[in-house]
């Protein structure tokens, strides 16, 4: 206990000085930081993870974004539609109040998944439009708003967001319309806007498709050279968690049938992210912000694999441009589950939005969750925390792997799951799954296949007007028809004119009791094989 108290006494003066110098304002109270430090989070490098005590103002409900806005204020948004700023009401250096800036529910808008600002105007991407807000009287609440852009193919499908808003060096607003490839009732999209990166002129009157073949991008950011990097999620033709560099007019691989005949080649990612699963927000740290020697690095928030896994975290990527091209090196920063976004504050600290538990489509559930964190650099911790995760090497015997491979075939796993990273069957391709899931997680997925289902793997039940029912996974949809993959991997084209109804089936297409009759040794061998992929 004495040693612990000595460490705290020695830490507080230096920590307070660093924070005061970083913020360039009145000295925060370091004891407040210590009181709210989340010591359960695994940290890599000289950082402290502080859970912000937001207990005043707007209730935090599954936040989907956090960004620095006008005046350096930290803006955030709930999935339920409230847009607010994080305020430090008692001056202790920690934000503790969420002050309402605008309520999108009052405008009939949903899913505020994108945010950007220019001057004192805030731009928010929603399912149906990009809305502009302005606080003219500077009272902290928007008093005027208008539609900036609404040429969006809109449907009621909850996965179709307008995300990753960024103003480019050319003054145009860049953003993403997520794919509609999972949606059996997708809206007509003759220009192929969905699944694309677009840009809109400063007056909102002109727009252009910049690139296509996009799956689900929630992180996009310009580097100091004006180059646009973006992170796309694995699945649907993306074999890895992708970090991409924008090349105007290129196709990036997702939903190729939608753009058939328009592109000859696929543009591959420049780097595959491996620190965690499902990248969400990304942001370049300023070269002037040292933040533990990470000036100029790209920081990445990861949501984690599936809406109910208690996984996720922050990573950073050191990017160097050489005569031969870019070189990338990835590092972990902290393990914090369900992160939806991140941003750097004007004091140089890193702010995080934690979405928390949700339903299959990342919408709020009856259990309202979510939080905000502030990651602070502490020079006293240099050399105290590892900078890499300890990777436990599994040494599976050849006999175990061969037996597991045979069981994978015998139990019909291979009929639904490819293992090469490219074959598209009715179940997800398992190439690289050993890096994503532990043996325990694999076992739970097999035993309870309906407990967690990725949105792109949710089954759809289509009832035709003649009474016939089709159950499978939607792989493509356009104005005239829906392509659905049935069990057995047969793809059937269904004219929309023949469809009476299409509904999500929240029961997995994966058979239950697949492990019935297997010995413990056989189950172990099967799990070992999956882990080795």
């Amino acid at each position: 206990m004495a040693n612990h108290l000595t460490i705290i006494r020695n830490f507080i003066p230096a920590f307070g000085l660093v924070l005061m110098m970083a913020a360039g304002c009145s000295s925060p109270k370091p004891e407040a930081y210590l009181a709210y430090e989340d010591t359960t989070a695994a940290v890599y490098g000289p950082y402290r993870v502080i859970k912000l005590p937001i207990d005043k103002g707007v209730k935090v409900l599954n936040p989907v974004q956090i960004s620095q806005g006008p005046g350096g204020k930290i803006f955030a948004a709930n999935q339920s539609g409230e847009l607010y700023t994080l305020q430090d009401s008692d001056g202790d250096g920690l934000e503790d109040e969420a002050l309402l800036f605008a309520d999108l529910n009052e405008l009939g808008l949903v899913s505020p998944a994108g945010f950007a600002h220019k001057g004192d105007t805030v731009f928010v991407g929603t399912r149906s439009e990009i809305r502009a807000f302005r606080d003219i009287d500077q009272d902290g609440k928007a008093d005027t708003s208008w539609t900036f852009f609404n040429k969006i193919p809109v449907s009621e499908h909850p996965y179709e967001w307008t995300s990753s808003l960024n103003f480019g060096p050319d003054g145009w607003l860049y953003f993403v319309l997520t794919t509609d490839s999972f949606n059996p009732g997708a809206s007509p999209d003759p220009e192929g806007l969905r699944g694309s990166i677009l840009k809109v002129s400063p007056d909102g009157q002109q727009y252009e498709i910049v690139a296509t073949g996009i799956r689900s991008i929630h992180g996009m950011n310009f580097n100091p050279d004006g180059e646009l990097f973006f992170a796309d999620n694995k699945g649907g033709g993306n074999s890895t968690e992708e970090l991409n560099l924008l090349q105007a007019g290129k196709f990036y691989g997702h939903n190729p049938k939608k753009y058939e005949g328009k592109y000859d080649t696929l543009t591959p990612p420049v780097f595959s992210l491996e620190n965690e699963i499902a990248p969400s927000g990304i942001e370049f740290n300023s070269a002037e912000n040292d933040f533990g020697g990470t000036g100029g690095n790209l920081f990445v928030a990861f949501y984690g694999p599936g809406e109910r896994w208690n996984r996720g975290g922050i990573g950073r990527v050191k990017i160097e441009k050489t005569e031969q091209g870019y070189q990338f090196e990835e590092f972990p920063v902290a393990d914090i589950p369900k992160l939806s976004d991140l941003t750097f504050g004007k004091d140089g600290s890193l702010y995080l939005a934690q979405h928390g538990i949700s339903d299959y489509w990342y919408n709020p559930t009856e259990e309202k969750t979510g939080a905000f964190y502030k990651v602070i650099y502490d020079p006293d911790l240099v050399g105290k925390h590892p900078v890499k995760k300890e990777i436990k090497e599994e040494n599976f015997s050849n006999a175990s792997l061969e037996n597991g491979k045979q069981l994978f075939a015998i139990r019909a796993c291979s009929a639904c799951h490819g293992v090469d990273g490219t074959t598209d069957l009715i179940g997800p391709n398992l190439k690289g799954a050993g890096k994503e899931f532990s043996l325990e997680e694999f076992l739970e997925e097999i035993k309870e296949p309906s407990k967690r289902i990725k949105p792109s793997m949710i089954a759809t039940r289509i009832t035709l007007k003649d009474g016939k029912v089709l159950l499978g996974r939607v792989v493509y949809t356009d104005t005239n028809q829906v392509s659905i993959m049935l069990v057995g991997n047969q793809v059937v084209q269904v004219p929309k004119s023949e469809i009476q109804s299409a509904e999500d089936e929240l029961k997995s297409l994966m058979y239950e009791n697949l492990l019935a009759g297997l010995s413990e040794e056989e189950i172990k061998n099967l799990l070992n094989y999956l882990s080795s992929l």
Side-chain angles (χ1 to χ4, degrees), residues 159 176 178-179 195 197 212-220 229-236 238-244 252-254 269 271 273 278-280 282:
Y159 198 59
V176 172
T178 55
T179 183
I197 297 174
T212 57
I214 302 307
R215 183 176 184 267
S216 180
I217 295 174
H218 292 277
M220 196 162 72
F229 284 82
F230 58 94
D232 204 353
N233 279 223
K234 179 179 177 181
N238 297 344
S239 60
T240 65
E241 309 289 0
E242 298 183 348
L243 181 62
N244 296 278
Y252 284 86
H254 179 71
F271 184 68
L273 298 164
S280 47
I282 70 173

Side-chain angles (χ1 to χ4, degrees), residues 151-153 159-163 175-182 186-187 189 191-198 208-217 220 230 232 236 238 246 249-256 258-259 263 477:
K151 307 296 191 299
I152 297 173
Y159 198 59
E160 295 176 5
W161 296 310
T162 307
S163 58
F175 65 98
V176 172
L177 293 181
T178 55
T179 183
D180 56 5
S181 62
F182 311 142
S187 299
D189 187 15
E191 293 186 60
L193 300 185
R194 285 227 158 263
S196 298
I197 297 174
L198 297 91
E208 299 176 10
I209 295 177
V210 182
T212 57
I214 302 307
R215 183 176 184 267
S216 180
I217 295 174
M220 196 162 72
F230 58 94
D232 204 353
N238 297 344
L246 177 67
K250 297 296 185 180
F251 174 71
Y252 284 86
H254 179 71
N255 204 9
K258 183 168 185 173
Y259 306 98
Y263 303 96
T477 183

